[in-house]
């Protein structure tokens, strides 16, 4: 009898242990995985035009762009971006833009604050072209609507110098300010995302040291409206891009500020256009 009681007690303890181990295993399965030390993301895109703040950097021609970002779980990150160039914004060499970006992003309540610096480089290009531009961005979401507001300020640098055929232009260093806002909305029960952008540039009114300027005409607005839709690993987009830079306002920037070759030769590189894109992300 005593042996039977001991056996039943052991069996009961074994059952309790099994039940407890099952509960622990279930809890472990439900617990979120620990964040990775580093996360690597990237993308490759083909676009019908490379528009930097509304102004074409590829003579209104096609562009291939790629970027990679490495993010630490602390919030620090580093990125590399590259794109081909043509026409306005061409500095010789391989005609490439190669940007190094570093910053820190942190969630504060319902918003994320992101601060960093972009170093614009043009490998083997003309002298006085590379420049640095710090930025601060605030982003968040309200239901299906996402928003972002940003400010980028490049302090006075020779690469942003005032060069043009005007009496007040003698190559002095210049600064540049860019303010922008983005918003997007995912239509319920679909994958279609509608997007909008508005930006304002203020800086060097001249041509820049090598026939370019981050803020051609000195100050202007740019905007973009459109949408994107994911299909498998790809995201396809279409949008309308424009600026308020008129032919009269940019006359003193010619012929640099017009398409140099092809069927659009002579057209403004800041004029309105439909922009098509295909992106694969990883």
């Amino acid at each position: 009898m005593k042996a039977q009681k001991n056996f039943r007690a052991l069996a009961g303890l074994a059952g309790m242990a099994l039940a407890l181990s099952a509960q622990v295993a279930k809890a472990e399965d439900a617990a979120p995985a620990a964040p990775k030390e580093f996360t690597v993301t990237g993308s490759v895109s083909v676009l019908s035009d490379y528009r930097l703040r509304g102004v074409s950097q590829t003579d209104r021609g096609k562009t291939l762009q790629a970027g990679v970002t490495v993010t630490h779980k602390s919030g620090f990150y580093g990125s590399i971006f590259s794109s081909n160039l043509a026409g306005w914004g061409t500095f010789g060499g391989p005609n490439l833009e190669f940007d190094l970006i570093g910053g820190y992003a942190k969630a504060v309540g319902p918003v994320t604050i992101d601060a960093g610096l972009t170093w614009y480089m043009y490998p083997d290009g003309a002298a006085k072209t590379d420049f640095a531009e710090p930025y601060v961005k605030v982003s968040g979401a309200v239901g299906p609507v996402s928003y972002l507001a940003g400010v980028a300020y490049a302090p006075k640098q020779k690469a942003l110098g005032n060069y043009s055929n005007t009496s007040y232009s003698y190559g002095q260093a210049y600064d540049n300010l860019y303010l922008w806002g983005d918003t997007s909305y995912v239509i319920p029960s679909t994958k279609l995302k509608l997007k909008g952008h508005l930006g304002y540039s203020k800086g060097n009114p001249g041509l820049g040291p090598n026939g370019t300027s981050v803020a051609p005409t000195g100050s202007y607005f740019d905007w973009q409206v459109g949408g994107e839709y994911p299909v498998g690993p790809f995201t396809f987009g279409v949008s309308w891009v424009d600026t308020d830079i008129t032919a009269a306002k940019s006359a003193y920037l010619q012929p640099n500020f017009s398409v140099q070759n092809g069927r659009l030769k002579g057209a403004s590189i800041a004029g309105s256009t439909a922009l098509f894109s295909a992106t694969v992300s990883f």
Side-chain angles (χ1 to χ4, degrees):
M1 181 67 70
K2 186 175 181 180
Q4 288 182 342
K5 287 183 178 179
N6 289 337
F7 177 77
R8 289 174 183 171
L10 288 173
L13 288 172
M16 291 176 62
L18 286 172
L20 181 60
S21 63
Q23 291 296 323
V24 170
K26 185 177 180 180
E28 288 177 346
D29 291 340
K36 295 180 180 179
E37 191 77 13
F38 291 94
T39 302
V40 179
T41 57
S43 64
V44 177
S45 301
V46 177
L47 301 92
S48 58
D49 193 359
Y50 173 20
R51 290 287 176 126
L52 176 63
R53 299 171 185 177
V55 177
S56 178
Q57 306 294 294
T58 49
D59 223 24
R60 296 188 69 165
K62 298 177 182 63
T63 179
L64 175 65
Q65 300 179 344
V68 176
T69 298
V70 179
T71 304
H72 187 259
K73 64 180 182 180
S74 64
F76 286 99
Y77 62 87
S79 300
I80 298 174
F81 168 83
S82 63
S83 176
N84 60 292
L85 303 170
W88 179 270
T90 298
F91 304 113
N95 292 331
L96 291 175
E97 178 182 334
F98 190 74
D99 302 340
L100 298 180
I101 307 162
Y104 176 75
K106 181 176 179 60
V108 180
V111 302
T112 296
I113 299 176
D114 182 350
L117 181 143
T118 302
W119 183 262
Y120 295 86
M121 300 191 304
Y122 305 90
D124 294 327
K128 298 179 182 176
T129 53
D130 299 0
F131 67 96
E133 184 181 61
Y135 60 84
V136 176
K137 299 183 287 186
V138 178
S139 60
V142 179
V145 179
S146 298
Y147 60 86
L148 181 148
V151 55
Y153 177 73
K156 288 184 178 181
Q157 296 163 75
K158 281 292 185 179
L160 304 176
N162 191 344
Y163 294 77
S164 70
N165 247 344
T166 57
S167 59
Y168 55 82
S169 171
Y170 50 89
Q172 65 270 42
Y174 227 91
D175 59 358
N176 192 88
L177 174 69
Y178 187 63
L179 306 173
W180 79 98
D182 296 330
T183 186
S184 63
Y185 171 71
V186 178
I187 298 178
S189 302
T190 76
K191 297 180 181 179
L192 179 61
K193 179 187 289 186
L194 304 180
K195 304 175 69 175
H197 163 86
L198 177 64
Y200 172 72
S201 296
K202 183 173 178 58
N204 168 22
L207 284 167
N210 293 287
T212 188
S213 172
V214 182
T217 72
S219 64
Y220 71 98
F221 286 93
D222 71 274
W223 55 89
Q224 184 172 352
V225 292
E228 60 183 34
Y229 193 87
V231 179
F234 296 94
T235 298
F236 297 94
V238 59
S239 60
W240 188 257
V241 186
D242 203 357
T243 74
D244 68 346
I245 299 177
T246 63
K249 192 176 179 181
S250 61
Y252 73 103
L253 299 176
Q254 300 299 343
N256 305 64
F257 211 65
S258 294
V259 176
Q260 302 298 306
N261 299 289
R263 63 182 181 83
L264 294 175
K265 186 175 181 178
S268 170
I269 58 172
S272 60
T273 188
L275 183 64
F276 302 93
S277 65
T279 301
V280 59
S281 300
F282 57 89

